[in-house]
């Protein structure tokens, strides 16, 4: 589960994971086999929650003023 959670954080995409005694392929679900004596199945949905980056600028230098314009430009261009 940790490996799949880290992948979700890295690519920003949610995923469904199933842990069961027998692998039953199903579209959109990553299936892992477990050897638990209960014979149950566990379905887990992993949705990454990513923090938005923050920028803290102190001062009024020309560099600080230029850096303060970068977030606004990123929103306009989508980058």
């Amino acid at each position: 589960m940790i490996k799949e959670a880290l992948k979700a954080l890295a690519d920003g995409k949610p995923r469904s994971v199933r842990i069961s005694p027998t692998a039953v392929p199903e579209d959109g679900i990553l299936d892992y086999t477990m050897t638990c004596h209960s014979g149950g199945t566990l379905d887990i949905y992993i949705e990454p929650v990513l923090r938005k980056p923050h920028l803290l600028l102190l001062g009024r230098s020309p560099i600080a003023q230029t850096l303060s314009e970068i977030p606004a430009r990123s929103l306009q261009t989508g980058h």
Side-chain angles (χ1 to χ4, degrees), residues 1-17 28-30 44-51:
M1 293 312 321
I2 292 173
K3 186 189 304 186
E4 292 300 332
L6 290 173
K7 286 180 188 178
L9 287 172
D11 64 19
K13 297 178 182 177
R15 52 192 30 96
S16 293
V17 179
I29 297 179
L30 301 168
I44 301 168
Y45 179 73
I46 301 172
E47 183 174 4
V49 178
L50 306 172
R51 288 181 29 182

Side-chain angles (χ1 to χ4, degrees), residues 61-76:
S61 69
I63 291 174
Q65 290 175 358
T66 302
L67 287 174
S68 71
E69 296 170 4
I70 291 174
R73 282 190 222 148
S74 296
L75 290 174
Q76 292 170 357

